[in-house]
Amino acid sequence: MRIVIAGGHGQIARRLERLLATRGYEVAGIIRREEQGDDLREAGAEPVLLDLESATVEEVAAHLQGADAAVFAAGAGPGSGAARKNTVDKGAAVLFADAAVRARVRRFLVVSSMGADPRHEGDEIFDVYLRAKGEADAYVQGLDALDWTILRPGSLTDDAGTGLVRLEAHTGRGPIPRDDVAAVLAELLETPATAGLTLELVSGSTPVSVAVKSIAGN
């Protein structure tokens, strides 16, 4: 099974790459800078050099050919301005989704954000971010050619993962280690019945595999 991850050098993406490689998957991560490649190789992933802010749908689709699933885990980052929230958090997500459709990759996961909403109001950078993420989510949700799952984690931390989470349509706010976000993403990829769900994720008391199987049955 081949999985392509956009934002391949991100903190969640590298954790996910390592998990998937350990499970025997063929993993490719899209990166913007060549010097990031060694980190991906160390995680067991193939680096793919491509700038999602300037690439065409055809160029991205070429790298998705033959993939079994695609994961959008890219982000402009906390130090970026409003313009890049729209070109990366929204624009690159839309491009990646369109490319997945073009390449006929049905399984599509999005790492979104708690509070993402296309109708979110406000002009602060974080307001723009939540609106951009919400608009991207809405776009993906409207694509019948994708078996999408949207994951909206709470406040991300670098604490060691516990493997215990709360995964529901609405959890309320709370923290979640990046380790556990990656673990949930890996489990979602292996659980096709979660297609069509938009889920919130925070730390909790349920083992990851149980939480994913439970939400898949709802």
Side-chain angles (χ1 to χ4, degrees), residues 154-174:
S155 302
L156 299 170
T157 76
D158 288 325
D159 296 340
T162 65
L164 299 173
V165 301
R166 182 179 175 194
L167 180 69
E168 298 171 13
H170 300 287
T171 61
R173 296 188 178 277

Side-chain angles (χ1 to χ4, degrees), residues 160-166 176-177 179-180 183-184 203-211:
T162 65
L164 299 173
V165 301
R166 182 179 175 194
I176 180 78
D179 287 350
D180 289 334
V184 168
S203 291
S205 57
T206 305
V208 167
S209 60
V210 175

Side-chain angles (χ1 to χ4, degrees), residues 25 40 81 91 105 130 144 151 153 165 170 177 210:
Y25 291 102
L40 268 70
V105 179
L130 291 177
D144 292 337
L151 184 65
V165 301
H170 300 287
V210 175

